[in-house]
Amino acid sequence: MSDIRTLGEFIVEKQSDFPHASGELSSLLGSIKLAAKIVNREINKAGLVDITGSVGGQNVQGEDQQKLDVYANDKFKAALEARDQVCGVASEEEDEAVAFNKELNRNAKYVVLMDPLDGSSNIDVNVSVGTIFSIYRRVSPVGTPPTEEDFLQPGHQQVAAGYIIYGSSTMLVYTTGNGVHGFTYDPSLGVFCLSHENMRIPKDGRIYSINEGNYIRFPLGVKKYIKFCQENVPEDDRPYTSRYIGSLVADFHRNLLKGGLYLYPSTATHPSGKLRLLYECNPMAFLIEQAGGLASDGQNRIMDLKPTELHQRVPFFVGSTNMVRKVESFLEMYPDQE
Ligand code: AHM
Ligand code: MG
């Protein structure tokens, strides 16, 4: 028992990493931890109760909303509002940013951006899904409602980011800019236990993760890169292995542990790709850089992009440093669509 370090204990221990730590960020992470447990409980029951399937509506981007998407959104929002450390949230499931109106919330200094249930189309088939979160210090004055500028900050301004993977076991992985730490949920104790301290992604990898069904619509550089991955060059450990779950958190998590590259490029039909800059790409970019990897839109560092809208999409290449550099070099070498 004495070896177990819980997420709560670890966060308190690490508070001293912040020169003027007031405990507010720790308390905020505590809210996320609580909502994660509630959502985890519900996801584990998904096959048992009539909770899966589309709720009937569509979100702002015209995608089907699943019941658990809505459930997760509500639980994370409620948990974040309850502890008074957050003045507003933006979510994949909300058209606009949501300001919390209580006076204590208006006095809070953080905003949270989240994808409450990423990969939710996978729930019905018992495949891992996840929650992704990103935390910023507000730039508008404390005491007022949050403004658009609070939510449209570049990724390098994040103070913390992380994800929860609801998988064969449930894990919470986060960074506050001092490395990446992973905690595995022990359902019998009801606590997240430190299992992966200071996670590092290998500089080289041999897993590539992409929806190859879209091949015909990819930029030429991506097509050439895929062929490069498939070439028979034993001295370079090629051909690589292709692994694609279709659940960003799960694909990212595997590649973080083993080394690899996740790609969601622009396509002929979706010139900006599919993934959302603010609550999918930026948090993953912060995590991967903290773990020693890279995240790029094909040319630029993801965390340097200046967001212009809440649900903005961006091509996304994330993973082992040498693999990201390689795909960037192919995009530079073959700039045109075929
Ligand atoms: P979602 O937020 O609507 O669930 O979409 C994001 C998901 C990612 O988890 C996953 O990597 C990607 O979409 C899969 O897209 P595709 O089905 O086009 O391969
Ligand atoms: Mg998503």
Side-chain angles (χ1 to χ4, degrees), residues 92 115 118 276 280:
E92 180 175 326
D115 182 351
D118 183 65
R276 274 61 50 128
E280 293 176 323

Side-chain angles (χ1 to χ4, degrees), residues 7-82:
L7 175 59
E9 287 167 345
F10 190 83
I11 289 171
V12 169
E13 231 174 79
K14 292 285 164 185
Q15 242 186 72
S16 53
D17 291 349
F18 302 100
H20 307 294
S22 58
E24 289 160 281
L25 184 60
S26 305
S27 166
L28 199 173
L29 290 167
S31 319
I32 290 174
K33 178 180 75 177
L34 176 63
K37 289 182 193 178
I38 294 169
V39 171
N40 177 59
R41 189 182 58 194
E42 218 53 32
I43 287 174
N44 278 321
K45 292 195 299 202
L48 295 172
V49 291
D50 181 29
I51 198 162
T52 55
S54 172
V55 79
Q58 293 196 325
N59 67 14
V60 66
Q61 293 138 76
E63 296 153 334
D64 280 345
Q65 270 184 321
Q66 303 286 312
K67 280 185 186 173
L68 273 172
D69 288 5
V70 179
Y71 182 87
N73 191 48
D74 289 349
K75 293 301 167 195
F76 275 93
K77 254 190 345 190
L80 291 167
E81 187 170 14

Side-chain angles (χ1 to χ4, degrees), residues 43-269:
I43 287 174
N44 278 321
K45 292 195 299 202
L48 295 172
V49 291
D50 181 29
I51 198 162
T52 55
S54 172
V55 79
Q58 293 196 325
N59 67 14
V60 66
Q61 293 138 76
E63 296 153 334
D64 280 345
Q65 270 184 321
Q66 303 286 312
K67 280 185 186 173
L68 273 172
D69 288 5
V70 179
Y71 182 87
N73 191 48
D74 289 349
K75 293 301 167 195
F76 275 93
K77 254 190 345 190
L80 291 167
E81 187 170 14
R83 287 236 182 131
D84 308 329
Q85 314 305 349
V86 176
C87 59
V89 299
S91 160
E92 180 175 326
E93 300 304 330
E94 307 274 350
D95 300 3
E96 311 281 344
V98 178
F100 295 147
N101 288 324
K102 273 191 313 179
E103 196 186 337
L104 282 171
N105 291 109
R106 276 204 304 274
N107 288 333
K109 53 179 188 223
Y110 294 108
V111 293
V112 175
L113 295 99
M114 61 178 180
D115 182 351
L117 206 61
D118 183 65
S120 50
S121 62
N122 280 319
I123 289 175
D124 285 347
V125 290
N126 209 351
V127 168
S128 301
V129 290
T131 297
I132 310 173
F133 61 90
S134 168
I135 303 172
Y136 292 83
R137 207 165 276 119
R138 69 189 298 176
V139 289
S140 60
V142 166
T144 61
T147 63
E148 196 174 62
E149 276 113 65
D150 295 323
F151 294 99
L152 298 185
Q153 300 186 56
H156 61 77
Q157 301 279 38
Q158 289 172 102
V159 294
Y163 59 81
I164 298 110
I165 177 169
Y166 310 98
S168 43
S169 57
T170 293
M171 279 189 74
L172 188 150
V173 175
Y174 84 100
T175 184
T176 51
N178 281 293
V180 177
H181 310 294
F183 299 79
T184 303
Y185 187 59
D186 182 334
S188 64
L189 298 174
V191 290
F192 284 97
C193 303
L194 180 64
S195 51
H196 297 67
E197 190 167 3
N198 201 17
M199 299 164 86
R200 305 292 298 170
I201 181 166
K203 287 263 173 275
D204 290 292
R206 47 181 315 281
I207 296 174
Y208 70 103
S209 313
I210 187 166
N211 185 344
E212 238 168 303
N214 294 325
Y215 182 87
I216 201 71
R217 300 172 176 156
F218 288 153
L220 182 57
V222 172
K223 289 180 179 170
K224 296 277 187 193
Y225 177 75
I226 291 173
K227 289 300 160 209
F228 164 87
C229 294
Q230 296 172 342
E231 270 165 15
N232 187 25
V233 187
E235 61 275 19
D236 193 25
D237 227 357
R238 282 182 283 146
Y240 293 160
T241 293
S242 167
R243 290 280 182 275
Y244 189 70
I245 297 169
S247 203
L248 172 63
V249 174
D251 280 309
F252 180 96
H253 186 70
R254 181 203 51 244
N255 292 353
L256 171 60
L257 292 173
K258 297 195 165 185
L261 177 68
Y262 174 96
L263 312 88
Y264 211 110
S266 60
T267 66
T269 46

Side-chain angles (χ1 to χ4, degrees), residues 134-136 151-161 277-278 281-283 285-286 289 301-307:
S134 168
I135 303 172
Y136 292 83
F151 294 99
L152 298 185
Q153 300 186 56
H156 61 77
Q157 301 279 38
Q158 289 172 102
V159 294
L277 173 60
L278 287 172
C281 303
N282 269 337
F286 191 18
E289 286 196 10
R301 180 183 181 225
I302 287 289
M303 289 203 287
D304 283 342
L305 301 175
K306 175 76 189 96

